[in-house]
């Protein structure tokens, strides 16, 4: 088996020594080339090259951002599960939502052992992915399409992600406490929390207007707070298209109610109420905003957008589990 290991040296929870141990463990079972990423987008370039060269397996060692880049490289020319390399993930970030949603251990060493067992036993599954692009006929129509593995956000939650990234650029560590602090600051400064500017449009249904927050989920849970899974859209699955949780109000009482529901959410029940909109298994829809809003995918802030078109693609990529 020809395999490529793409390792992010800045991964939050792995050291150079850990990466060396994992590399030797994987190399004992396969013909492995290991490359350390050197710039933003490098993992994407490596994934694209691996797909072009017919590599059998690409192992992403890093956080969700590294995984996202590798996936976008692999799917540069579109999904083709039977032809493209299989993907394996060794978690090295602070949250590792995609790896944990697949059922992998959240420890890099344990995950490597699980990966080797899965390869020996030929365990894999084909997962669906989300695709987001600029909407034709809008000022964002030239924005290139990009794949996401577990979630995207347009509005409030993307603003929180952007704030966290700013703090990390200033040298702060990516911790759950940092996310909570930035969430509070985003809420206090959110200008549109009482009157949303986003409208969701989908074929064959009435528009859903006045959304303040819109979270698009490709799987469940949506994210983790420490070891606690948070279920924004409990029905979301790698086997279906996309789910949406949207809120039409973020007043102080509404935030307290929905934050409590999110913290106590389960695989059977997520946030609900008169200001909550939950939609399941959507293959094609668009989010439009009256004003530019922050946009994020897989925890990566991508700047401001006014309109994003989403596509849920079933059976897009084979993953080792």
């Amino acid at each position: 088996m020809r395999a490529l290991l793409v390792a992010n040296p800045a991964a939050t929870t792995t050291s150079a020594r850990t990466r060396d141990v994992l590399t030797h463990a994987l190399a004992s079972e396969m013909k492995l080339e290991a490359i350390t990423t050197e710039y933003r987008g490098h993992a994407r370039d490596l994934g694209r090259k691996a797909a072009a060269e017919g590599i059998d397996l690409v192992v992403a060692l890093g956080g969700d951002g590294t995984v996202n880049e590798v996936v976008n490289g692999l799917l540069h020319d579109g999904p083709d599960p039977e032809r493209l390399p299989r993907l394996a993930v060794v978690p090295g970030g602070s949250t590792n939502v995609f790896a944990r949603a697949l059922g992998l251990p959240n420890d890099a060493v344990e995950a490597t052992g699980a990966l080797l067992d899965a390869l020996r036993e030929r365990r894999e599954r084909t997962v669906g992915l989300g695709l987001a692009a600029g909407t034709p006929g809008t000022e964002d129509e030239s924005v290139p399409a990009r794949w996401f593995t577990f979630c995207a956000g347009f509005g409030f939650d993307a603003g929180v992600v952007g704030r966290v990234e700013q703090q990390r650029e200033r040298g702060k560590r990516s911790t759950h406490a940092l996310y909570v602090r930035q969430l509070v600051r985003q809420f206090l400064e959110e200008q549109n929390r009482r009157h949303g500017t986003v409208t969701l449009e989908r074929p064959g249904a009435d528009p859903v207007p006045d959304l303040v927050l819109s979270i698009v989920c490709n799987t469940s849970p949506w994210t983790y707070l420490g070891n606690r899974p948070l279920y924004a859209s409990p029905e979301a699955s790698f086997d279906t298209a996309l789910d949406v949780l949207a809120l039409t109000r973020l007043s102080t009482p509404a935030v307290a109610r929905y934050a409590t529901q999110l913290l106590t959410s389960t695989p059977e029940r997520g946030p609900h109420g008169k200001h909550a909109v939950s939609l399941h298994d959507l293959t094609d829809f668009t989010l439009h905003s009256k004003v530019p809003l922050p946009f994020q995918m897989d925890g990566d802030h991508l700047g401001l957008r006014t309109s994003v078109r989403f596509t849920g693609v079933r059976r897009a990529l084979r993953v080792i589990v």
Side-chain angles (χ1 to χ4, degrees):
M1 177 184 293
R2 296 172 61 212
L4 171 66
L5 172 65
V6 179
N8 179 2
T12 308
T13 58
T14 58
S15 64
R17 178 175 293 180
T18 302
R19 291 192 295 274
D20 288 342
V21 171
L22 300 181
T23 299
H24 283 96
L26 293 170
S28 67
E29 300 285 338
M30 62 193 75
K31 184 178 180 181
L32 181 73
E33 179 183 10
I35 300 179
T36 301
T37 58
E38 299 177 356
Y39 53 87
R40 190 180 183 97
H42 193 186
R44 180 197 61 227
D45 296 340
L46 293 172
R48 181 178 179 181
K49 183 179 179 182
E53 294 180 352
I55 297 295
D56 300 302
L57 173 70
V58 176
V59 183
L61 170 55
D64 289 308
T66 302
V67 175
N68 179 279
E69 284 196 14
V70 169
V71 167
N72 275 277
L74 292 174
L75 274 67
H76 176 80
D77 294 323
D80 189 348
E82 300 307 316
R83 180 188 64 83
L84 292 175
R86 289 170 292 172
L87 172 70
V89 179
V90 177
S94 58
T95 311
N96 308 304
V97 178
F98 182 65
R100 295 163 84 176
L102 288 170
L104 295 172
N106 197 34
D107 175 81
V109 176
E110 291 184 15
T112 300
L115 166 59
L116 292 173
D117 288 342
L119 289 169
R120 295 186 192 108
E121 298 169 14
R122 300 181 181 275
R123 295 199 311 266
E124 63 180 57
R125 64 180 293 189
T126 304
V127 300
L129 297 171
L131 183 67
T135 306
T138 71
E139 61 186 72
D140 291 323
E141 66 179 345
S142 62
V143 175
R146 180 166 171 171
W147 297 90
F148 60 96
T149 63
F150 65 91
C151 85
F154 189 42
F156 181 82
D157 82 299
V160 176
V161 170
R163 288 175 176 271
V164 170
E165 287 193 4
Q166 289 178 349
Q167 294 299 312
R168 292 188 65 182
E169 290 172 358
R170 296 170 183 167
K172 298 291 183 64
R173 292 187 65 244
S174 178
T175 64
H176 298 293
L178 177 62
Y179 274 89
V180 172
R181 289 196 300 271
Q182 300 312 312
L183 186 151
V184 172
R185 291 174 181 172
Q186 179 70 21
F187 170 72
L188 293 176
E189 297 178 19
E190 177 62 56
Q191 298 179 350
N192 303 304
R193 67 189 187 194
R194 293 184 181 275
H195 303 286
T197 66
V198 177
T199 297
L200 185 150
E201 296 180 354
R202 53 185 169 136
D206 292 335
V208 183
D210 304 326
L211 304 178
V212 180
L213 175 151
S214 48
I215 296 171
V216 181
C217 294
N218 185 50
T219 189
S220 187
W222 163 55
T223 190
Y224 293 81
L225 186 62
N227 291 322
R228 180 190 293 274
L230 304 182
Y231 297 91
S233 297
E235 290 186 284
S237 166
F238 288 127
D239 298 321
T240 61
L242 301 174
D243 283 28
V244 176
L245 170 68
L247 299 180
T248 57
R249 180 170 295 184
L250 279 180
S251 62
T252 301
V255 167
R257 180 168 60 254
Y258 292 120
T260 300
Q261 290 180 355
L262 195 56
L263 289 171
T264 58
S265 59
T266 68
E268 290 75 36
R269 191 168 178 81
H272 54 279
K274 65 178 182 179
H275 300 301
V277 178
S278 296
L279 302 171
H280 175 57
D281 198 18
L282 305 183
T283 56
D284 185 43
F285 63 96
T286 302
L287 294 174
H288 300 284
S289 175
K290 299 173 185 176
V291 298
L293 293 177
F295 179 57
Q296 68 89 10
M297 288 173 36
D298 287 348
D300 186 11
H301 186 263
L302 300 178
L304 301 178
R305 304 281 178 85
T306 56
S307 185
V308 186
R309 181 175 179 178
F310 292 90
T311 306
V313 180
R314 297 180 179 87
R315 299 185 59 80
L317 186 66
R318 291 184 299 167
V319 181
I320 302 298
V321 293

